Amino acid sequence: MGWVGAAILLPMAVGAMSFQVPNREQRLQAIGTTAGLSGALQRAFAPADDFEPVPAPGPSDWLAVHPESGQSFEQFVRSGPNRPDQKRNILYLQPLGEFRPGVAPPLDSLREYAAAYFALEVRVLPSLSLDRQNITTRRNPTTGHRQLLTTDILTTLKKRIAADAFCLLGITMEDLYPEPSWNFVFGQASLRERVGVYSFARYDPAFYGVPRGGDYARTLLRRSAKVLVHETGHMFGLAHCVYFRCVFNGSNHLDESDARPLHECPVDLRKLHHSIGFDVPQRYASLRRFYRKVGFEDEAAWTHRRLEWIVGPEEARRLVATVDEDAKS
Ligand SMILES: [Zn+2]
Ligand SMILES: [Zn+2]
């Protein structure tokens, strides 16, 4: 069982070891040798100028508080992580409670994004009413908001996981807590049982009594899409990234989470590719299409640049046109 993206009631003790930012050599070592791979894959796993090294953490940032040592591609493979196979290859999303339009991120966009990101089929299940489940709740004394006990949710999800599921992920607009002594938790997962739950509640400014602002819908979709792939990545056995600015960086607070990019670094792309076996250029073309559709123009431009680096401008144009055309028909 792993705590994910947690914040606790008491100040955390800072570990005796402090985090050392990996140098260029260490970043390349984490990717591993790509000799013997196709030219396209060698370029896909080469950082070129498209990825920034992980920055030195500020005092309240994740790596200052949790000085993790990282997980290279080779360490990932050796850990024997769960992989989708012939029998279990569908990502299921289980909404818990209400997802009100205008307040919650659109489930269909989240489904579409996860499908493009992991190149797997993603299904959104009908929402579970919280009243009918045996889920312990409490009212958080600081925020005044209702909170759901994650362990009860995981117990419910374990009973409901489908035979063809790679994993079943509960998502909710309610706030969560993992045990009475904790203030809250963003999410929690059991990798062995292939279930997890996470909340988007704290990505909504209204949670803190702050006005939502004009660009709220896009901001919430970006934050939710980010947490969705980050937490789903843990289900594939990906540990936090300490090498580059990456969607799999740990985060301790909202500013840190907002500063993370939507894309993964070459170390994590290689892990996902090893696990899922997708076509890397095809996947980038699908992601670019999604980013254009929802107005994430910076991400669309980054993805297009990356695609051009891997397959060349002409082939990139052809792939993008094919994916866009398929989406219309
Ligand atoms: Zn995490
Ligand atoms: Zn990474």
Side-chain angles (χ1 to χ4, degrees):
M1 182 149 331
W3 298 116
V4 287
I8 61 169
L9 200 58
L10 299 165
M12 274 193 207
V14 177
M17 304 258 292
S18 67
F19 175 71
Q20 299 294 322
V21 175
N23 60 30
R24 185 172 178 277
E25 188 56 34
Q26 289 165 320
R27 290 194 298 275
L28 293 178
Q29 266 171 18
I31 297 167
T33 176
T34 57
L37 300 179
S38 71
L41 282 181
Q42 290 192 18
R43 285 188 295 280
F45 303 144
D49 294 327
D50 296 319
F51 301 90
E52 292 169 55
V54 81
S60 66
D61 287 347
W62 180 268
L63 284 170
V65 180
H66 310 272
E68 295 169 328
S69 56
Q71 179 196 49
S72 68
F73 170 69
E74 206 180 294
Q75 287 170 326
F76 167 78
V77 173
R78 275 206 306 267
S79 74
N82 283 338
R83 290 165 77 175
D85 58 25
Q86 292 290 320
K87 267 172 41 199
R88 293 169 167 181
N89 50 38
I90 296 170
L91 304 180
Y92 283 93
L93 300 179
Q94 174 63 74
L96 299 156
E98 274 194 293
F99 272 70
R100 282 180 21 232
V103 175
L107 290 170
D108 201 54
S109 296
L110 293 180
R111 188 203 60 73
E112 205 182 323
Y113 185 54
Y117 191 92
F118 294 103
L120 289 171
E121 184 177 347
V122 179
R123 292 186 193 156
V124 179
L125 297 168
S127 184
L128 272 189
S129 159
L130 296 168
D131 310 333
R132 303 224 191 94
Q133 309 301 321
N134 288 321
I135 295 168
T136 309
T137 65
R138 75 171 183 192
R139 200 152 286 277
N140 182 294
T142 315
T143 67
H145 292 295
R146 178 167 81 158
Q147 295 182 298
L148 312 177
L149 184 62
T150 49
T151 45
D152 283 357
I153 297 173
L154 294 179
T155 303
T156 300
L157 294 177
K158 277 176 217 166
K159 288 185 207 144
R160 304 177 71 97
I161 188 165
D164 59 3
F166 174 69
C167 62
L168 172 59
L169 298 164
I171 50 177
T172 182
M173 295 306 293
E174 304 267 347
D175 200 27
L176 303 173
Y177 74 111
E179 56 169 279
S181 68
W182 286 53
N183 183 17
F184 79 99
V185 70
F186 281 115
Q188 190 183 347
S190 166
L191 267 51
R192 198 170 49 83
E193 316 253 23
R194 298 176 295 125
V195 295
V197 59
Y198 40 93
S199 167
F200 302 134
R202 287 174 188 256
Y203 299 109
D204 179 355
F207 183 91
Y208 311 95
V210 173
R212 289 205 170 104
D215 206 25
Y216 169 69
R218 202 175 302 163
T219 303
L220 183 66
L221 180 59
R222 183 183 274 107
R223 288 173 174 169
S224 307
K226 205 181 276 183
V227 72
L228 178 68
V229 301
H230 178 106
E231 303 300 346
T232 308
H234 286 319
M235 304 306 291
F236 285 85
L238 272 67
H240 285 143
C241 182
V242 304
Y243 305 106
F244 295 90
R245 275 190 190 276
C246 172
V247 71
F248 296 111
N249 296 148
S251 98
N252 235 9
H253 48 86
L254 194 54
D255 286 346
E256 192 174 23
S257 165
D258 280 344
R260 283 187 303 207
L262 266 175
H263 57 251
E264 71 293 322
C265 74
V267 183
D268 291 304
L269 176 66
R270 192 172 186 186
K271 293 175 189 173
L272 290 171
H273 176 264
H274 171 81
S275 184
I276 303 166
F278 45 62
D279 181 298
V280 174
Q282 188 76 38
R283 170 178 176 271
Y284 275 137
S286 302
L287 283 170
R288 178 193 169 276
R289 195 191 74 81
F290 176 85
Y291 293 144
R292 291 298 308 274
K293 188 174 159 184
V294 299
F296 295 176
E297 295 302 335
D298 289 356
E299 287 85 353
W302 184 92
T303 308
H304 198 123
R305 250 198 340 270
R306 195 61 193 159
L307 188 55
E308 287 184 329
W309 156 257
I310 296 169
V311 297
E314 210 168 304
E315 176 64 3
R317 250 196 315 277
R318 195 195 62 79
L319 266 174
V320 160
T322 311
V323 166
D324 287 354
E325 201 50 50
D326 285 353
K328 278 183 215 134
S329 54

